[in-house]
Amino acid sequence: MNFEIESPLNKEELLKTLSNLQSKKFRFGAGFTDLLIEFKKFNPVETTVINLAQLKDEEFCSIRNDSGEIQIGSLVKLAQICKDTYIKDNFPVLHQAANALASGQIREVATVGGNICQASPSGDLSCALVSLKANCEILNIDGKIRNQAISEFFKGPGKTSLQKNEILKSISIPINHSKNLKSGYIKIGKRSAMECSIVSLAYHFQLEKNGKVKHAGIAIGAVGPTIIFCQETVDFLLKQNINNIDEVLKLKIASMIQNASSPIDDARASAWYRHQVLYNVAKSLFE
Amino acid sequence: MDDKLIKISFSLNGKSLTKNVSPSLFLIDFIRDELKLKGTKPGCREGECGACTVLVNGVAINSCLFLAINIHGKELITIEGLSSIEKPLHPIQEKMLEHGAVQCGFCSTGIVLTTKAFDDECRSDGKIPSRQEVKKSLEGHLCRCTGYTKIVDAAEDYLTHSSF
Amino acid sequence: MDKKLKIIGKSTSKLDGNDRVSGRSVYGHDIELPNMLYAKILRSKYTCAKIKYIDCSKALALEGVEYILTAKNLDVNMIGYKRDHPILKGETVNCQRDEIAAVAATSREIAAKAVSLIKVEYEEIKGIYDPFEALKTEARKINLNGQGEEKFGNKNIAESFEYSHGELKSMKKLSKVIVSRRYQFPRVTHCCMGTSNITADYSIIDGKLTLYSSTQVPFLYQRDMAHALKMEPSKIRIIQPIIGGGFGSKLDMLPFEPICALLSIKTGKPVQLLYSREEEFIASPTRQAMVIDLTSGVDEKGKFTFREVQITMDNGAYTSWGATTPFVMMQAYSSLYQIAACKFQADAVYTNNPNAGSFRGYGNPQATFSIERNIDLMAEELGLGKDEIRLLNANFPGEITGQGLLFKTCGAKPALLKVIEESNYKMKNREKQSGRYRRGVGLASMLHVGGGAKIYRSDGCGTRLKLDHYGFLTIITGSSEIGQGSETVLAMIACEELGIPLTHIKVINSDTDVKPWDVGVHASRTSFVAGNSLLGAISIIKQKLNSKAAQLMGCKNSDFVYENGFIKACEKEVKIDKVVREMHFGNPNKLCVAEYFFEPTSSFQDKDFKGDVSGNYAFASQVAEVEVDTYTGKVNVINMYVSQDVGRVLNPMGLQGQIEGGLATGLGYALTEEMIYEDGYLTNPSFHEYKLLTAMDMPEVHFYPIETMDEAGPYGSKGAGEAPLIPTAAAIANAVSNALGVEFLSVPLTPEKVLKALSEKNNHKTANSQIL
Ligand SMILES: Cc1cc2nc3c(=O)[nH]c(=O)nc-3n(C[C@H](O)[C@H](O)[C@H](O)COP(=O)(O)OP(=O)(O)OC[C@H]3O[C@@H](n4cnc5c(N)ncnc54)[C@H](O)[C@@H]3O)c2cc1C
Ligand code: FES
Ligand code: FES
C-alpha cells in the first residue's frame, strides 16, 4: 500500500491543502479505522491522504455546548463522546450508540466525522445522530459553511452529499431541555460486543410532565440503503401520551417502524430476519 | 516504497526518538520491523483482535490501524516499556500469571496494555470498576485459549485491589 | 500411591508464563535470520479449473525477487495423509486454497507485488461442492490421485469406515421409541491467534535443513517433510518456536511448509512464510463439515437399544488426518452410554471445497451433538426424565463396551449426578417458560480417549533427564508444548518426585536434534504419555542417586525421601547437588542422567476397530443454562455446569484454564462460528465476519472435577484437553430446545436460526388452530 500524505496542522493549512488537491485524487483520513481497511481491500492508486489526525482546531476537535445547541467537531473521538457527562445525561441515545461501537481501542481513534462520512447504513453513531435530527456543518475551500440535515447528507451506502471542495467540520444538535426523557439505542448482532449492527434502532423522546410526547426522533439502521428517519411514526407519536400506549397502539407503532424499512439479504442476515427483529425491538420500546 | 519519508519525533517507552518513516507505514510494522520490538503481536491486522494494542499518550489503541506518522509528538508505550531492570514484571502481568490468564500468550501483551490504560482511566475518575465494566474494557481482545474467565479475573483483581 | 503430595494438585503458574506475558517469547512471527527472504504464495483464482499456463516473467523481473517456485521442474512427492496432495498445482486446481506459485523476495511488499504480477490462465470447470453430488455415479473424479474406486467402490470417496457390534435387528424390535434425525455441521476453524508460519533455513554447505515450524507432531512432520522433498529425514531439524495456539491445526503438514523449505533450498537463504489472517481462514485446516443420519432406539424401560449411523463428511479436495475422525466418532456411537447394538458407517467424500483437517475434539463434538439431541427426543417421547434416561444408561467402571473399550475407571455417572444436582436441572427443566426472555437447561455428556490413542506404530514418548552438579534438572522430553501447559505439569512431576524446586527445573522440548521420539500432541495424550515417561526416567535416576546417597550417608536399603533439595534416609540427609558432584567427580566417575521410553499398553484395534485403544478414558457431563431473547433469537448462555472425570487433578489452575478455554470454543461452535462458502469460496475470511465470542459473551463456569484415580495415568490422571468442548454445543442446543420447545438440527444456533425456528413453530400453531 502506498500513498502520499499531507498533514495540515490548522484550518488555514487544511483549506490550502484541500484547494491544492482539487485536481488530484485525495481522501481524508481522521481516525483511519475505516480508511485503512478500505485501502487494504482496494489498493489506493496515486492518492493523497489528507491526514486530519494532527489538525488542531477548536471547531473540529471539541464538543461545545452553547446557544441552544450542542456542537460536536467532526474530529471528536468516540471515546470523548462516551466520556462526556452532558451527552450521557441529555442524549442517552448518543452515549449508548458511541459506547456500542467497536471496541475501546477503536473508540480512542475513530471519529464522529469518520462514522458519518463513511455513510454506512449500519453506522452506529450516525444512526443516533439521525434520530436526534443533527445538522451537518460543512466547510468548503472558500471557508464557507453549508448546513444540511444529516438525513439529507446521506445519499446511499457509502455516499454523501459532500462535494470535492468540502469537508465535514462539525455537527450540531438542538438542545431542548427536558428532564423527562426516553432515549436509547438498541443494537442487534450475533454476539455481545464488537458487532456490526444487523439492525439498529435509535430513539429519543422528550416528554411533558404528564407524559405527552413533545419532541420525538426515531432512526433505524442496517435496514435500508441509508439510515432511515421514521417520519411517519414520529408524526404519529407527537400526538400521543406515552402513558396511554396500550397493546394495540404498541403493535401499530411497531408496524409503522417496520414499514419504514426496506432490508435486503446479505452475508450477516436475511431481509426476513431484519424485518422481523425490527418489529420486535420496536415493540419493546413501549414495554 | 519510493514515497517521501517523513520525519517524526516521539517518545518510545520513555525515551525520545526521531525517525524517518514512510507515510503509509503502519504503526505495527514500524514497531516490529523497524524498532524491532516483537512483543506487539499481529493477530489480524484489521482491528478485531487487540493483539497489537499499544499505548499512545496513555490510551490503548490498535497499532494495526494506525499510521506510524501519527505518533509524531506523542508518547508510545509498548509492552517492553512495562519492564525495567528493577521491576521486570508490571503488577498486572503478575496478576495474569497468578490467575492463570496466560496460555499461548499471543493475546496477553495487548491485554496487559489495555488493562493498564483502563486502570489509569479508573484512577483518574476515582472509580472502581464493576466486573461487567472490566469485561467491557476487554471487548476489543480475542483470546482463543483461555475462554476469558481467567483474564477477567486477573484484570478485575488488579483493578479493584491495587492500592489507590 | 497414597503418600502426601507436595505440589501435585496445587495450582501452579505456567512455567514460561513470564516470557509470554512480557513479550519476550519468540514466536514464529518474531524470528529474523540474517539474509532472510520473505515468501508469499499465489493461490488459485478458481475453485475448480485447468491451468493453461503460468507466466512468471514479469514477477521475475521485479527487483528483489529471488526465486519463483511452480510445479514445473519440481521433483517432489505428494503430501497428505493419503499422499493425494501435490505441493504445487501445475495442471488442475481443485479448491480455493490451491497453491500455484510461490515467491521468495527480499521484502514482504516485494513478494506480494510479485505474486500479483504472476499471470495464470485457467479454463474453469464446474466444481462439485456437495458431497452427495460427488457420490453420484455421473460425477467427475475430483482428486485424480484418489483411490476411491479401487478401495471403496466410488471414485470420490477418500476414506471410509465401517463398524458394528450387537444384534441390530433384534434390538430394533425391542425398541419402544425410535428417533431418526439428520444433523448438519458446517466447517469451523481453529482461529489460532498467531497465524500459521514457518521459517526454513537450508545450508548449501552441508545440505541440512532447519525448519522453525509450529507443528504439533515434530517427528511425523520430519518424516513427512523428508518424504515430500525426497531428503534424508535426519538431515531435517525441526525447531518449534513458541506457538500462538494449536488446537489440532498443526497435525497435518500443509503445502506451504515444503514450499517454504524448497524456496530456501533453491535460494540457499533462510526464507520465512507468514499467513495473513485472511490466508489463515482460507488456507488453514477446518473442522469437518458433515451430515449425520442417526437413528437410535430405547426400550420401554428406558434402556438404550441401538444406534445406527451414517456419516457423510466433506473431505474437501485433498485428504488430511481429519479423514480419520470417524475413528473417534465411532467410539462415541458405540460406547457413550451402554449400547447393545451399533452400526456405523462413515465416508469422507472429495469435493472442491478446501480440505478439512483435525481440530480439538476430532469429530466428537459432531457425534455427541447427534447422540445427545436424539436422547432428549427419545426421553420426551417415552415420557422419561432426560436426566433419568442418561443415568439409567450411564457407563460404569469395569464396563467393556461393544467396541472393546475397557473402562477401568469411569466417572460418567458421578459427573452426570454432579451437574444435574448443581444446576438444579430437574426443577429448571420442568419450568414452563413464557414472555420475551425464556430460560432453559440442557444436559449432555461425552466420552473421549484419555490416555493417548494408538494410531501410529508407536504412541510412546521418550524422556531424558540430566541432573547437574548444582542441583538443576533438565528434562528433555519428546513431547511438545503448544500452549496447553504440559511443560508445567512435567516440571511439577519432577519437583514432586525429586524435591527440586520448580525454579531449578528446565524443560527442553523443541528441537528434534535433541529430543527423543514422541508421536506428537494430539488425543489429549501429552500429560498422560509424557508424564508417565518422565516418571519412568525419574525412577531410574533415583536409583542412581539412592545408591550414591546411601554410600555418602553410610546407610543401606532405606526409604529415601527427596525434599527441598535434599535426599533423606536413616535420619540423615545430604544435598542432592552434593550427591551429583560425588557422582561426577568421585570414583568411579558417573553422569547423573537417565532415559526412559514409555509406550502405553493400549493396543492397535483390529480391522473391525475392536480393541482397547487408549490407556484410559475421559468422561464428562455439562449442563447449559440459557436465556433466549424471543424478540431477537439471541441465545445468552448464563451458566455452564461442567463436570469431568480427569482421573486426578494435577494442576488445578492449568486444568481450569483448559476447561474454560475448551468451553469457549464449544460455545462458539454452538452459537456463532461458521465458515460460509459459495461454490467453494469462503465468503467470510475475517474476524469481522467470522464471529468469535468475546469476554462479554462468556457465561459463568462452574467446574467440578471428578477424581477416579486411574492407575494408568501419572498420579491417577487422565487426558483432559479436548473433553470440555465436546458436549457443549449439544448441551446448549438441548437447553434452547427446552426453553422454546423447538428443535435444532444444525449448529450454530445463530439468532436468525433461532428466530426462524420460533416463528415456524408459531405459524404452525396458528395454522393448527385455524384448522381446528
Ligand atoms: C474492528 C472495527 C469495528 C468497527 N465497529 C463499528 C461499529 O460497531 N459501528 C460502527 O458504526 N462502525 C464501526 N467500525 C467502523 C469505524 O470504526 C467507524 O465508522 C468510525 O467512526 C470511523 O471513523 P474514523 O475517524 O476512523 O474514519 P476514517 O477511516 O478516518 O474515515 C472514514 C471515511 O470518512 C471520510 N472522512 C473522515 N473524516 C471526514 C471529514 N471530517 N470530512 C469528510 N470526510 C471525512 C474518510 O475519507 C473516509 O472515507 C468499525 C471498524 C473496525 C475496524
Ligand atoms: S492485529 Fe491489530 S487488532 Fe488484530
Ligand atoms: S492465551 Fe492464546 S490467545 Fe489468549
Side-chain angles (χ1 to χ4, degrees):
Chain A
M1 185 189 306
N2 246 316
F3 48 76
E4 307 247 315
I5 204 137
E6 293 290 342
S7 304
L9 301 178
N10 53 45
K11 198 156 106 187
E12 290 63 49
E13 286 184 23
L14 168 67
L15 294 183
K16 215 169 98 202
T17 310
L18 191 52
S19 37
N20 289 345
L21 288 170
Q22 284 302 301
S23 58
K24 297 230 177 88
K25 225 170 117 186
F26 69 88
R27 295 294 297 276
F28 292 111
F32 290 89
T33 60
D34 278 320
L35 193 70
L36 292 182
I37 299 244
E38 182 191 322
F39 280 1
K40 282 182 189 197
K41 277 198 199 115
F42 310 101
N43 216 354
V45 252
E46 284 168 31
T47 304
T48 303
V49 170
I50 303 182
N51 174 22
L52 302 174
Q54 297 180 17
L55 184 82
K56 294 228 160 48
D57 182 276
E58 266 288 284
E59 289 178 49
F60 274 90
C61 300
S62 62
I63 303 175
R64 282 162 304 146
N65 176 3
D66 49 36
S67 59
E69 58 179 28
I70 178 159
Q71 264 191 328
I72 303 174
S74 64
L75 297 181
V76 165
K77 303 194 168 66
L78 293 164
Q80 279 171 271
I81 302 275
C82 294
K83 284 171 204 156
D84 192 293
T85 47
Y86 184 81
I87 289 180
K88 189 175 175 188
D89 293 342
N90 292 282
F91 302 100
V93 60
L94 196 58
H95 173 81
Q96 289 174 21
N99 210 26
L101 186 147
S103 62
Q105 295 103 305
I106 301 263
R107 291 194 292 272
E108 287 291 356
V109 292
T111 64
V112 172
N115 196 263
I116 298 171
C117 295
Q118 186 66 17
S120 159
S122 58
D124 289 311
L125 202 79
S126 304
C127 188
L129 289 170
V130 170
S131 79
L132 291 169
K133 296 188 238 183
N135 168 52
C136 295
E137 299 169 335
I138 301 151
L139 182 69
N140 76 5
I141 43 175
D142 303 324
K144 294 230 170 62
I145 295 284
R146 170 166 77 89
N147 286 294
Q148 188 171 37
I150 188 166
S151 50
E152 317 254 297
F153 184 71
F154 294 129
K155 295 293 177 206
K159 290 205 187 75
T160 67
S161 76
L162 210 65
Q163 302 295 307
K164 196 167 182 187
N165 63 353
E166 291 179 326
I167 180 168
L168 180 66
K169 179 186 68 90
S170 51
I171 49 140
S172 56
I173 309 166
I175 302 174
N176 299 291
H177 281 291
S178 163
K179 285 275 157 291
N180 208 354
L181 275 183
K182 185 177 169 65
S183 172
Y185 187 69
I186 302 172
K187 176 171 177 173
I188 305 300
K190 288 183 191 164
R191 56 184 175 185
S192 306
M194 287 302 275
E195 263 303 355
C196 183
S197 298
I198 289 175
V199 167
S200 58
L201 175 77
Y203 59 95
H204 186 77
F205 309 138
Q206 293 183 6
L207 312 170
E208 313 232 354
K209 268 220 178 72
N210 61 7
K212 199 173 167 320
V213 181
K214 197 164 72 177
H215 292 279
I218 298 177
I220 50 181
V223 288
T226 59
I227 293 159
I228 298 160
F229 185 82
C230 300
Q231 189 64 50
E232 195 197 353
T233 320
V234 164
D235 292 342
F236 180 79
L237 273 171
L238 284 173
K239 296 183 211 118
Q240 309 297 323
N241 184 311
I242 203 112
N243 301 323
N244 299 341
I245 295 180
D246 58 9
E247 195 66 14
V248 178
L249 266 186
K250 178 185 93 180
L251 297 183
K252 182 179 162 108
I253 294 166
S255 293
M256 285 169 84
I257 293 176
Q258 188 187 33
N259 288 338
S261 72
S262 55
I264 52 160
D265 290 333
D266 69 12
R268 277 178 288 131
S270 69
W272 174 85
Y273 179 73
R274 292 190 154 102
H275 214 237
Q276 192 61 41
V277 166
L278 181 60
Y279 177 79
N280 289 346
V281 294
K283 238 174 25 180
S284 77
L285 280 187
F286 301 102
E287 283 175 348
Chain B
M1 282 154 261
D2 42 10
D3 38 32
K4 296 171 229 127
L5 296 186
I6 290 173
K7 189 164 155 182
I8 54 170
S9 300
F10 61 102
S11 115
L12 170 66
N13 295 329
K15 297 214 170 86
S16 328
L17 208 62
T18 299
K19 290 262 173 186
N20 293 317
V21 299
S22 146
S24 50
L25 183 67
F26 285 54
L27 183 56
I28 187 172
D29 296 321
F30 178 58
I31 292 172
R32 288 179 52 84
D33 297 345
E34 296 197 16
L35 302 175
K36 304 283 181 201
L37 298 174
K38 306 284 190 183
T40 303
K41 295 291 177 226
C44 68
R45 293 173 176 271
E46 54 177 4
E48 294 278 344
C49 77
C52 66
T53 301
V54 296
L55 303 184
V56 172
N57 281 0
V59 301
I61 60 123
N62 298 319
S63 62
C64 68
L65 288 183
F66 200 92
L67 292 181
I69 53 159
N70 280 336
I71 55 161
H72 177 64
K74 303 210 158 109
E75 273 176 28
L76 171 65
I77 293 180
T78 66
I79 191 69
E80 290 81 0
L82 294 200
S83 299
S84 63
I85 303 280
E86 301 76 43
K87 186 117 186 64
L89 289 181
H90 188 279
I92 298 171
Q93 292 168 317
E94 284 166 356
K95 286 284 178 219
M96 299 259 297
L97 293 172
E98 188 186 314
H99 283 270
V102 183
Q103 286 189 31
C104 84
F106 209 81
C107 69
S108 306
T109 54
I111 287 171
V112 169
L113 289 169
T114 292
T115 305
K116 166 136 188 10
F118 186 54
D119 182 51
D120 292 343
E121 188 187 322
C122 290
R123 278 168 197 260
S124 79
D125 295 353
K127 76 162 190 196
I128 294 177
S130 66
R131 187 166 175 92
Q132 192 56 26
E133 285 168 325
V134 175
K135 281 190 182 177
K136 170 93 178 150
S137 77
L138 294 168
E139 68 188 328
H141 289 277
L142 294 177
C143 172
R144 191 54 147 172
C145 302
T146 66
Y148 305 102
T149 309
K150 297 269 168 287
I151 295 173
V152 176
D153 288 349
E156 188 182 22
D157 186 1
Y158 175 73
L159 291 160
T160 55
H161 291 101
S162 61
S163 50
F164 273 82
Chain C
M1 205 187 282
D2 239 333
K3 64 179 176 184
K4 214 161 149 34
L5 297 176
K6 284 163 286 196
I7 179 164
I8 295 292
K10 303 215 168 71
S11 281
T12 305
S13 291
K14 212 174 156 55
L15 212 53
D16 65 344
N18 296 358
D19 282 347
R20 293 181 194 237
V21 78
S22 58
R24 281 179 45 82
S25 292
V26 179
Y27 295 78
H29 314 72
D30 307 330
I31 293 172
E32 282 185 11
L33 298 177
N35 213 8
M36 187 169 86
L37 303 176
Y38 299 86
K40 180 136 183 88
I41 292 174
L42 172 70
R43 297 183 189 276
S44 179
K45 189 172 164 194
Y46 297 100
T47 56
C48 184
K50 281 205 173 83
I51 298 175
K52 294 176 70 181
Y53 72 82
I54 305 172
D55 176 5
C56 299
S57 53
K58 266 199 177 151
L60 273 169
L62 197 67
E63 196 181 310
V65 172
E66 300 244 339
Y67 199 86
I68 300 183
L69 199 67
T70 61
K72 217 164 142 187
N73 305 326
L74 210 56
D75 181 25
V76 291
N77 282 316
M78 273 186 270
I79 63 169
Y81 166 71
K82 289 270 175 186
R83 304 268 184 256
D84 61 356
H85 194 172
I87 295 169
L88 280 153
K89 286 75 182 171
E91 277 146 32
T92 56
V93 286
N94 276 323
C95 69
Q96 182 187 14
R97 194 178 273 185
D98 274 357
E99 298 78 3
I100 292 177
V103 177
T106 49
S107 78
R108 263 178 241 131
E109 295 71 36
I110 297 173
K113 180 99 198 268
V115 159
S116 73
L117 291 175
I118 299 173
K119 254 216 199 107
V120 186
E121 200 170 297
Y122 305 87
E123 184 186 313
E124 207 186 344
I125 305 170
K126 202 172 147 27
I128 305 175
Y129 309 101
D130 175 354
F132 293 101
E133 289 297 313
L135 285 173
K136 290 183 178 160
T137 36
E138 67 270 24
R140 190 173 39 77
K141 181 168 181 179
I142 294 168
N143 185 319
L144 298 179
N145 305 303
Q147 301 194 323
E149 195 68 70
E150 303 85 302
K151 289 195 168 147
F152 314 112
N154 183 311
K155 58 187 168 304
N156 283 331
I157 294 186
E159 181 62 291
S160 183
F161 288 84
E162 245 182 72
Y163 165 84
S164 68
H165 77 249
E167 301 291 325
L168 194 70
K169 250 199 188 142
S170 59
M171 291 319 288
K172 272 190 181 172
K173 272 210 197 102
L174 260 175
S175 305
K176 173 92 187 289
V177 170
I178 293 181
V179 167
S180 283
R181 287 294 183 279
R182 166 168 283 198
Y183 296 97
Q184 271 173 306
F185 301 88
R187 278 184 161 74
V188 293
T189 189
H190 309 73
C191 298
C192 303
M193 282 302 130
T195 54
S196 304
N197 63 84
I198 182 169
T199 306
D201 186 6
Y202 179 74
S203 161
I204 44 172
I205 301 190
D206 57 14
K208 284 188 186 148
L209 177 64
T210 304
L211 297 171
Y212 300 85
S213 159
S214 39
T215 175
Q216 61 192 74
V217 288
F219 289 100
L220 298 185
Y221 186 89
Q222 181 187 44
R223 183 202 60 162
D224 287 354
M225 185 66 77
H227 174 80
L229 303 180
K230 303 190 175 173
M231 274 180 79
E232 224 176 296
S234 295
K235 286 208 156 176
I236 302 175
R237 175 182 182 192
I238 318 285
I239 296 176
Q240 298 162 274
I242 306 280
I243 300 182
F247 319 119
S249 60
K250 287 140 177 105
L251 192 59
D252 284 284
M253 184 178 79
L254 296 182
F256 81 91
E257 297 167 281
I259 284 175
C260 190
L262 281 164
L263 286 170
S264 181
I265 292 170
K266 299 282 184 190
T267 56
K269 294 179 183 174
V271 180
Q272 182 170 78
L273 199 154
L274 297 182
Y275 270 21
S276 68
R277 178 55 59 187
E278 185 181 12
E279 204 170 15
E280 185 77 11
F281 272 104
I282 290 171
S284 73
T286 71
R287 200 186 282 292
Q288 267 66 26
M290 59 177 76
V291 173
I292 297 180
D293 288 299
L294 173 64
T295 304
S296 48
V298 58
D299 70 15
E300 57 189 349
K301 293 207 187 84
K303 283 295 278 182
F304 296 154
T305 45
F306 76 95
R307 284 184 193 138
E308 188 174 13
V309 58
Q310 168 73 46
I311 299 175
T312 309
M313 306 199 292
D314 181 349
N315 189 59
Y318 310 99
T319 313
S320 70
W321 273 105
T324 67
T325 48
F327 182 78
V328 169
M329 284 191 274
M330 78 174 63
Q331 289 161 22
Y333 290 107
S334 78
S335 307
L336 170 60
Y337 304 103
Q338 303 161 42
I339 295 295
C342 173
K343 186 166 181 299
F344 173 99
Q345 213 275 319
D347 295 322
V349 184
Y350 285 117
T351 63
N352 289 111
N353 294 318
N355 40 312
S358 63
F359 192 167
R360 195 175 184 183
Y362 216 72
N364 208 345
Q366 297 98 311
T368 301
F369 188 94
S370 68
I371 292 170
E372 292 286 350
R373 276 301 303 146
N374 267 22
I375 292 177
D376 262 22
L377 295 170
M378 292 190 296
E380 275 168 22
E381 209 174 317
L382 199 65
L384 205 65
K386 293 170 197 159
D387 49 346
E388 285 156 43
I389 199 171
R390 287 179 168 89
L391 285 165
L392 193 66
N393 290 284
N395 298 112
F396 56 90
E399 182 181 350
I400 300 176
T401 75
Q403 199 181 350
L405 314 184
L406 166 57
F407 300 152
K408 280 169 284 196
T409 58
C410 171
K413 204 163 183 175
L416 265 169
L417 285 168
K418 191 75 192 164
V419 290
I420 290 168
E421 182 196 318
E422 294 290 340
S423 66
N424 204 354
Y425 179 86
K426 248 190 176 26
M427 207 259 294
K428 286 181 184 159
N429 191 258
R430 279 200 219 102
E431 272 168 15
K432 265 250 162 288
Q433 295 287 321
S434 63
R436 173 171 178 178
Y437 296 99
R438 297 190 198 157
R439 291 211 172 194
V441 283
L443 174 60
S445 302
M446 74 99 227
L447 152 73
H448 202 70
V449 292
K454 193 138 186 158
I455 53 165
Y456 193 70
R457 281 174 55 205
S458 159
D459 194 28
C461 173
T463 304
R464 301 188 142 178
L465 293 180
K466 170 171 97 83
L467 190 56
D468 73 15
H469 49 279
Y470 306 108
F472 278 63
L473 178 75
T474 306
I475 303 170
I476 305 167
T477 171
S479 69
S480 304
E481 165 78 33
I482 59 169
Q484 83 278 39
S486 64
E487 264 176 24
T488 311
V489 167
L490 294 182
M492 285 170 72
I493 292 175
C495 168
E496 183 71 49
E497 294 298 323
L498 292 170
I500 297 173
L502 284 177
T503 49
H504 288 31
I505 298 175
K506 308 169 203 180
V507 181
I508 306 283
N509 54 4
S510 58
D511 186 344
T512 52
D513 270 7
V514 177
K515 66 180 189 173
W517 157 261
D518 171 80
V519 75
V521 182
H522 67 90
S524 308
R525 69 186 279 284
T526 304
S527 293
F528 179 87
V529 182
N532 273 332
S533 176
L534 172 62
L535 281 169
I538 287 174
S539 84
I540 294 170
I541 211 165
K542 266 185 168 175
Q543 283 168 19
K544 297 187 180 180
L545 287 163
N546 287 352
S547 68
K548 194 74 191 178
Q551 196 188 332
L552 291 174
M553 291 186 283
C555 58
K556 272 198 181 118
N557 295 336
S558 168
D559 274 347
F560 292 88
V561 176
Y562 286 71
E563 222 168 45
N564 302 328
F566 285 89
I567 303 176
K568 300 176 183 172
C570 44
E571 283 159 19
K572 291 187 190 151
E573 58 178 38
V574 55
K575 282 187 82 180
I576 202 162
D577 46 324
K578 178 164 168 64
V579 179
V580 180
R581 277 196 296 276
E582 290 304 322
M583 286 173 75
H584 286 187
F585 311 125
N587 198 5
N589 304 75
K590 269 205 172 118
L591 279 175
C592 191
V593 296
E595 62 179 40
Y596 189 76
F597 185 71
F598 173 75
E599 183 68 43
T601 54
S602 55
S603 48
F604 250 143
Q605 287 175 330
D606 59 22
K607 63 180 192 325
D608 298 324
F609 300 107
K610 299 229 167 88
D612 191 24
V613 70
S614 182
N616 60 32
Y617 298 87
F619 303 85
S621 293
Q622 297 183 0
V623 167
E625 183 173 10
V626 302
E627 182 179 79
V628 188
D629 181 348
T630 57
Y631 280 15
T632 63
K634 188 158 181 285
V635 176
N636 199 359
V637 182
I638 303 165
N639 285 302
M640 286 299 304
Y641 300 88
V642 179
S643 187
Q644 186 171 324
D645 172 7
V646 296
R648 160 90 165 242
V649 180
L650 298 178
N651 180 0
M653 192 165 79
L655 176 64
Q656 185 93 18
Q658 287 290 304
I659 300 292
E660 288 164 358
L663 263 182
T665 306
L667 286 163
Y669 192 52
L671 297 176
T672 55
E673 291 182 38
E674 179 175 19
M675 304 176 93
I676 302 167
Y677 290 91
E678 263 167 37
D679 288 349
Y681 291 98
L682 182 62
T683 63
N684 57 339
S686 74
F687 283 146
H688 193 57
E689 297 290 345
Y690 182 95
K691 303 287 185 190
L692 289 186
L693 297 177
T694 69
M696 299 279 282
D697 299 284
M698 286 301 124
E700 287 295 315
V701 178
H702 314 268
F703 174 50
Y704 315 98
I706 303 280
E707 300 198 303
T708 50
M709 302 292 168
D710 193 285
E711 61 182 27
Y715 305 95
S717 66
K718 301 179 175 185
E722 294 177 279
L725 70 76
I726 291 169
T728 310
I732 288 173
N734 282 344
V736 179
S737 287
N738 176 236
L740 304 179
V742 297
E743 234 194 278
F744 295 96
L745 300 169
S746 66
V747 290
L749 275 63
T750 57
E752 173 151 3
K753 196 180 284 173
V754 172
L755 201 68
K756 191 140 230 161
L758 247 171
S759 112
E760 270 158 19
K761 178 188 162 195
N762 292 340
N763 288 344
H764 208 72
K765 251 199 225 149
T766 30
N768 279 349
S769 56
Q770 274 159 4
I771 295 167
L772 298 172

